[in-house]
Amino acid sequence: MSVKALKGFKDIVPGEVETWQFIEQTARAIFHRFNLDEIKVPILEKTKLFVRSIGETTDIVEKEMYTFADRNGSSLTMRPEGTASVLRAYIENGLQSKKAVQKLYTIGPMFRHERPQKGRLRQFHQMSVEILGTDLPRVDAEVMAMAWLILKELGLSASLEINSLGCKKCRPAFNKALLDFLGKAENLCDDCLRRRETNPLRVLDCKSAHCQEQYEKAPSILDHICQSCADHFQAVKKGLDLLAVPYAVNSFMVRGLDYYTRTTFELVTDALGAQSAVGAGGRYDGLVAQLGGPDVPGIGFAMGMERLALLLDQQEGSVPVATPDLFVVALGEAAQEKGYALTHAARKAGLAAIMDLQDRSLKNQMKQAGKAMVRFALIMGEDELSNGKAVLRNMANREQQDISINDDVATWATELYSLVIQ
Ligand code: ATP
Ligand code: MG
């Protein structure tokens, strides 16, 4: 019996991977425009890093982490999200002394033991951004505008929902108001009853329709935040207006991680069923210090690449296809020898070139060239070799021209390059 991949772990095969490359290339180009630096961090970390940052009573830490004992008994966890690891790396490498404001991004797999479904996997991928060292509200707006621009340049649309969760000074007052309300609420689900005791804010994130119905009357956090948080939120909204990014305030959005303070946001779509968030993030002032680093503020977001790929696949023709430049059609041993050297020279010169090393018939090779969607075919057999001329065929408009065979393949490849790349 063959061994299959784990449930919730997916291969991304040719035919699918082009969408992923498009997403990644688009995002990288935008990160560059916003002057971000890439950081690569390990997938495996000490479990306590995530427990301390994400929070002991969150869904992720309570039931979704891939945690196991290493051979020497220490508890390790496959990262369920990127922020904790990037912050650990920021502290450990003393990045705050290299730049007062660090603008970082990372792209890679995350692991959560969830029930697999469309847009929800156990190994999934995020592109995430962390800006450390500033709490200016205009930075918050710029971060959201960056996420927005990624979607826009991918040809996708989603709505931006924003909220403020206040700070450690004003959160307790809201928690108290929420607890008073929850004390009177009836027939809450088991999860909410538990959260009411452990982490009341999290009840607002409940997926049960019955609970949500009751929470419509819950107190709004925006009525409880302190003046400085309210001013900050006001300035964030002004920033979004200045950047012409449309948004809606959703005072019930609380996010699933404990570390958020002040601005939080989600990019939501109705095109993916229950998996409506394509990206999410927020401010986490205090988290770096909590992890043992300097007391610098921070903000970040993550976009789910599976969900972006699903959205792109729903819109046919939205992913540009990169086709090969040249098929070297060589017929007979002498032409095969020449073609073999030319194909390599063409690749060195910068062309995406293909050749059939099995010397099949002209018809067969032309069929392969068509199937590969190459832009040009260079055809040479015994006659062409003796005349010193090969045929270059434009596969799109079928125009053909004779071109001189150059004995020096490197020079010939350069000549071909200028004919093929126009
Ligand atoms: P959800 O409410 O859908 O579970 P979340 O709040 O847990 O999302 P975050 O932890 O904020 O998500 O992660 C940011 C983004 O990563 C999400 O908006 C989503 O696009 C993506 N994401 C999260 N979990 C998964 C998963 N299991 N499979 C695929 N993508 C995911
Ligand atoms: Mg989740």
Side-chain angles (χ1 to χ4, degrees), residues 339-351 353 408-414:
Y340 186 57
L342 176 67
T343 303
H344 188 58
R347 291 171 180 158
K348 285 200 276 187
L351 293 175
D408 177 34
V409 285
T411 315
W412 193 15
T414 318

Side-chain angles (χ1 to χ4, degrees), residues 56-58 62 175-176 178-185 188-204 215 258:
E56 221 147 341
T57 54
T58 56
E62 275 183 347
N175 268 342
K176 190 177 171 308
L178 186 61
L179 275 175
D180 286 348
F181 167 84
L182 291 173
K184 287 176 232 137
L188 295 177
C189 74
D190 288 347
D191 268 347
C192 283
L193 286 175
R194 199 164 43 81
R195 285 179 188 140
R196 186 169 68 181
E197 306 305 319
T198 57
N199 196 347
L201 197 62
R202 299 274 310 116
V203 302
L204 298 176
Y215 300 153
D258 277 354

Side-chain angles (χ1 to χ4, degrees), residues 112 114 119-121 124 126 207 255 277-280 302 304 307:
R112 294 184 196 173
E114 301 194 69
R120 190 176 295 286
L121 285 120
F124 63 101
Q126 287 184 338
K207 304 272 191 290
R255 311 281 315 114
V278 287
R307 296 185 193 176

Side-chain angles (χ1 to χ4, degrees), residues 31-90:
F31 294 150
H32 175 68
R33 285 186 237 160
F34 280 80
N35 195 27
L36 267 56
D37 292 312
E38 183 171 11
I39 183 166
K40 291 177 186 284
V41 290
I43 282 165
L44 211 50
E45 298 273 2
K46 290 181 184 157
T47 301
K48 61 181 174 223
L49 174 67
F50 302 113
V51 177
R52 268 194 213 161
S53 54
I54 298 169
E56 221 147 341
T57 54
T58 56
D59 283 356
I60 296 181
V61 171
E62 275 183 347
K63 48 191 186 198
E64 296 175 358
M65 293 205 306
Y66 278 89
T67 296
F68 56 89
D70 195 3
R71 285 180 186 274
N72 61 16
S74 42
S75 180
L76 305 183
T77 293
M78 312 268 286
R79 62 178 187 193
E81 58 106 46
T83 303
S85 310
V86 171
L87 266 49
R88 182 207 41 72
Y90 170 86

Side-chain angles (χ1 to χ4, degrees), residues 355-372:
M355 181 186 160
D356 175 16
L357 299 178
Q358 283 180 275
D359 195 9
R360 276 173 277 226
S361 69
L362 174 64
K363 195 172 157 205
N364 182 301
Q365 294 197 37
M366 289 309 289
K367 209 166 141 189
Q368 292 182 53
K371 205 168 161 202

Side-chain angles (χ1 to χ4, degrees), residues 374-387:
V374 293
R375 297 175 33 247
F376 286 86
L378 180 81
I379 305 156
M380 59 180 168
E382 264 169 47
D383 290 352
E384 285 77 13
L385 283 187
S386 55
N387 297 341

